[in-house]
Amino acid sequence: MKFWSFLRALVPIALLATEASAYADPGACSGQCWSHDPSVVKRTSDGVYFRFETGSLIGIWKASALTGPWVYQGAAIPKGSIINLTGKDDLWAPDVQKVGDNYILYYTVSSFGSQNSAIGYATSTTMEYGSWTDHGATGVASDSSKTYNAIDANLISDTSGNYYLNFGSFWGDIYQVKMNSAGTASSGTPYQIAFNSTGSQALEGSYMYYRSGYYYLMFSSGICCGYNTALPAQGEEYKVFVCRSTSVSGPFVDKAGKSCTTQNGGTLLLSSHGNIYGGGGQGMYADSSHGTVFYYHYADKTVGLADANYKFGWNVVTWTSGWPSI
Ligand SMILES: *[C@@H]1O[C@H](CO)[C@@H](O)[C@H](O)[C@H]1NC(C)=O
Ligand SMILES: *[C@@H]1O[C@H](CO)[C@@H](O)[C@H](O)[C@H]1NC(C)=O
C-alpha cells in the first residue's frame, strides 16, 4: 500500500518533468553568440560556417563549427543599401542562400511598424567580409496600398528548380512570390500562404525547408522584441509554428490538418521553456555533420530579456511521421 501511494504521489511530478523537458535546450555556442533573426550557411567548399544577423549593416560571424567559436568579421553591406528608403542603414532579417555559384543575401529595408518596406539583395561567391556586392531592389516592396509588408525574405527552390520568395509580417502575414531563374527579381503577383486572423498576434520571419516530398513552412508568431521594457502576457511572446504542403505554394496545413491560411493552423515547433524565452527568427538546413539543424534566436532569462542579450540557439531536428520536433 505504501509503495502504491508513493508511486501515485510520484506521477504528477513525473508528468511535470516530461512537460518541462518537451524541448531540448539550445546546442552549445561559444565566442560571439549574440543573435537576432539569424541566417546560417555552411560554405560548401570547406565546411566553414557563416552566420548573418539583423541590424546595422548585416553583421557577418564566422566559425569552424556550428558550436563556435564565432568571430565577428564585419558588415556585409558596409555602405548601407542602395535602395533609397528609410531604414537603408539599419538592415534586417538576412536570408542567405546558394544559387548556382553565388551566395545571395536577401535583406529588408524598413522601419519599425511601417509598411514602407523593400527587400534587397547582395551577392558573393565566398560570403567573406568585403566580398559582397549590393544590387538593391528585388522588386518585392510594399507601401500602405498593399495587403502585406515586404520584410523578412526567405528564398526556396521547388523540386523543379523554380525559385520563390516567402516574406511578410503583420498585415496579411505570410506571402509568397515567384522569382526569376536567378532568384534575384520577382516575376509575378504575391499571394498569401499563411494567416492568423485571431488577436493581434502577427506571423513573420517565415522560413521554408524541403524534405521528402513536403515543403515545411515555419513562421514566428507573437511579440518579438522589447521584453525588458514591456513583458508580453504569458504565451504572447515569440514562438515558432510549422505547417507543411506537398506544393511549394500550399495549401499549408498543420499536423491536425487545419489550414494555416484560413483556419489559424500551425503546429508548435518551439515555445518558451525553462529559462529559454521568446525563441524565433528561425531557419532550417541540412548540415553534413549534424543532420537537419533548426536554428533561432532566444532570450535567456538568466542573462536578461533585452534585445541586446538575445542568443543564437540551434538543435538537431527529430523527424516523426514527417513532422519536425526538437
Ligand atoms: C532619396 O529619397 C529622398 C526622399 O524621397 C529624396 O529626397 C532623395 O533625393 C533621394 N535620393 C536619391 C539619391 O535618389
Ligand atoms: C494566432 O493568434 C492567437 C491569438 O493571438 C495565438 O494565441 C495563436 O497562438 C496564434 N496561432 C498561430 C498559429 O500563430
Side-chain angles (χ1 to χ4, degrees):
M1 287 299 277
K2 266 197 180 145
F3 179 71
W4 282 111
S5 45
F6 171 72
L7 260 192
R8 224 176 275 137
L10 214 61
V11 165
I13 298 167
L15 283 176
L16 274 179
T18 312
E19 213 159 37
S21 60
Y23 296 106
D25 278 339
C29 186
S30 69
Q32 294 164 308
C33 294
W34 175 80
S35 186
H36 194 157
D37 301 338
S39 177
V40 174
V41 181
K42 189 175 184 178
R43 190 159 61 191
T44 43
S45 59
D46 58 3
V48 170
Y49 290 83
F50 286 79
R51 205 181 86 228
F52 301 82
E53 301 282 357
T54 266
S56 309
L57 303 162
I58 306 289
I60 307 172
W61 284 259
K62 192 174 158 182
S64 55
L66 183 57
T67 50
W70 290 97
V71 180
Y72 181 65
Q73 308 293 304
I77 323 274
K79 293 184 183 134
S81 174
I82 56 175
I83 299 174
N84 187 17
L85 199 64
T86 305
K88 64 189 173 59
D89 297 314
D90 183 19
L91 307 173
W92 302 344
D95 177 53
V96 180
Q97 303 289 340
K98 195 164 192 214
V99 175
D101 292 333
N102 270 325
Y103 291 95
I104 304 184
L105 187 169
Y106 300 89
Y107 61 80
T108 295
V109 184
S110 187
S111 44
F112 206 75
S114 168
Q115 225 178 337
N116 293 326
S117 311
I119 291 163
Y121 76 104
T123 54
S124 162
T125 53
T126 63
M127 292 188 280
E128 298 284 352
Y129 168 66
S131 74
W132 291 96
T133 304
D134 181 26
H135 303 281
T138 58
V140 185
S142 62
D143 58 26
S144 57
S145 72
K146 302 288 195 218
T147 51
Y148 49 79
N149 193 6
I151 79 168
D152 291 1
N154 165 244
L155 187 82
I156 179 87
S157 163
D158 71 7
T159 48
S160 312
N162 301 307
Y163 288 105
Y164 297 81
L165 200 73
N166 306 304
F167 64 93
S169 161
F170 287 75
W171 286 276
D173 290 335
I174 310 301
Y175 277 70
Q176 183 182 75
V177 67
K178 184 138 197 311
M179 299 293 277
N180 65 3
S181 61
T184 54
S186 64
S187 68
T189 306
Y191 40 86
Q192 192 180 49
I193 55 170
F195 182 62
N196 188 347
S197 66
T198 65
S200 57
Q201 290 214 10
L203 314 185
E204 57 184 5
S206 65
Y207 197 97
M208 203 176 274
Y209 180 73
Y210 176 81
R211 179 184 183 269
S212 304
Y214 286 103
Y215 295 88
Y216 292 88
L217 172 65
M218 289 154 267
F219 49 81
S220 301
S221 174
I223 297 164
C224 73
C225 310
Y227 302 143
N228 57 326
T229 50
L231 195 68
Q234 199 187 347
E236 285 182 14
E237 73 277 13
Y238 242 21
K239 51 190 139 355
V240 180
F241 289 96
V242 60
C243 304
R244 74 177 193 188
S245 175
T246 52
S247 159
V248 70
S249 302
F252 290 93
V253 295
D254 68 12
K255 208 170 171 176
K258 260 169 81 175
S259 166
C260 300
T261 323
T262 58
Q263 296 178 306
N264 306 325
T267 296
L268 265 180
L269 182 55
L270 174 68
S271 62
S272 300
H273 58 100
N275 288 318
I276 310 304
Y277 184 80
Q282 75 292 329
M284 193 180 275
Y285 73 99
D287 189 305
S288 47
S289 342
H290 297 277
T292 315
V293 168
F294 173 69
Y295 61 84
Y296 48 94
H297 72 243
Y298 67 95
D300 180 339
K301 284 183 184 169
T302 64
V303 175
L305 293 180
D307 301 9
N309 291 327
Y310 288 5
K311 295 208 295 201
F312 174 66
W314 64 277
N315 293 96
V316 173
V317 172
T318 303
W319 293 95
T320 312
S321 309
W323 286 95
S325 68
I326 58 158

